[in-house]
Amino acid sequence: MYDPERWVVLSTDAAPTYAVFAPVVAKLWRRIGYRPLVIIHRDGWQSDFGNHVLSSLAESDAVVVRVPTVAPLSVANTMRAVRVVAAATPGLDPQDFLLTADVDMIPLSRAFWNGRWQFVVLRALFHAWLATPDGSTPSFPPGGPVLGFRFAMCYAGAITEIWKEAIPVGGGDVEAALRTLV
């Protein structure tokens, strides 16, 4: 019987101010039981810094997927959007779990991330929700959502087949999948 793998989906371009986090965060995710799937912009890695980042990701057993800028998106928006089509990565099992995360957000609690979910959106308020005695959902922000209030795109997770159902994309890889959305 196949034991589904838990993946964390990270993305970055080669800008050192952001890419510097990739090796550290990938190693920390690996230590708490998630295999890193790191989607990188294909350009800009031909430097000592870029080589160090890529070799460090390889040491973390990360799967690295390179994508170009997908017009009309900018490099930054391509790197944001690719995480929601990561289920198009070849070789994933339909039952594998993919959790989107930001490359500069460090996972610190193994217990918080230890769940085996099919679909989940995790937020800081998740623990408060679990702790409410009557099982009610706490309001965030207090008083409920307000115009302009947004959650970050990270910590949405689902098994591969749910991602593909929620965001039906064509193509056989991440780049092709993203092109069907833009």
Side-chain angles (χ1 to χ4, degrees), residues 39-165:
I39 305 171
I40 63 170
H41 191 263
R42 74 172 177 200
D43 299 327
W45 298 95
Q46 302 79 15
S47 66
D48 289 342
F49 171 78
N51 290 330
H52 175 72
V53 169
L54 296 177
S55 66
S56 295
L57 288 172
E59 290 171 12
S60 300
D61 195 29
V63 170
V64 175
V65 175
R66 293 174 181 254
V67 297
T69 305
V70 176
L73 301 175
S74 65
V75 171
N77 284 333
T78 297
M79 292 297 92
R80 290 179 185 107
V82 292
R83 288 180 279 171
V84 300
V85 295
T89 302
L92 294 175
D93 186 89
Q95 296 302 305
D96 284 349
F97 180 79
L98 284 79
L99 179 71
T100 63
D102 285 347
V103 76
D104 61 347
M105 293 182 69
I106 298 171
L108 298 176
S109 171
R110 182 185 310 265
F112 187 82
W113 301 109
N114 208 26
R116 288 283 183 172
W117 306 283
Q118 286 204 332
F119 175 81
V120 69
V121 178
L122 296 171
R123 298 285 174 246
L125 203 54
F126 185 66
H127 281 303
W129 183 26
L130 293 176
T132 55
D134 62 358
S136 62
T137 303
S139 175
F140 185 75
V146 295
L147 185 61
F149 178 78
R150 304 182 299 176
F151 281 119
M153 199 176 82
C154 61
Y155 307 143
I159 59 173
T160 304
E161 70 181 346
I162 291 175
W163 276 111
K164 287 181 175 182
E165 183 179 334

Side-chain angles (χ1 to χ4, degrees), residues 7-54:
W7 295 86
V8 62
V9 181
L10 306 168
S11 61
T12 187
D13 60 19
T17 53
Y18 203 57
V20 70
F21 293 100
V24 174
V25 171
K27 285 178 184 177
L28 289 170
W29 277 108
R30 193 65 176 146
R31 288 188 66 154
I32 62 172
Y34 286 76
R35 187 164 182 203
L37 172 57
V38 185
I39 305 171
I40 63 170
H41 191 263
R42 74 172 177 200
D43 299 327
W45 298 95
Q46 302 79 15
S47 66
D48 289 342
F49 171 78
N51 290 330
H52 175 72
V53 169
L54 296 177

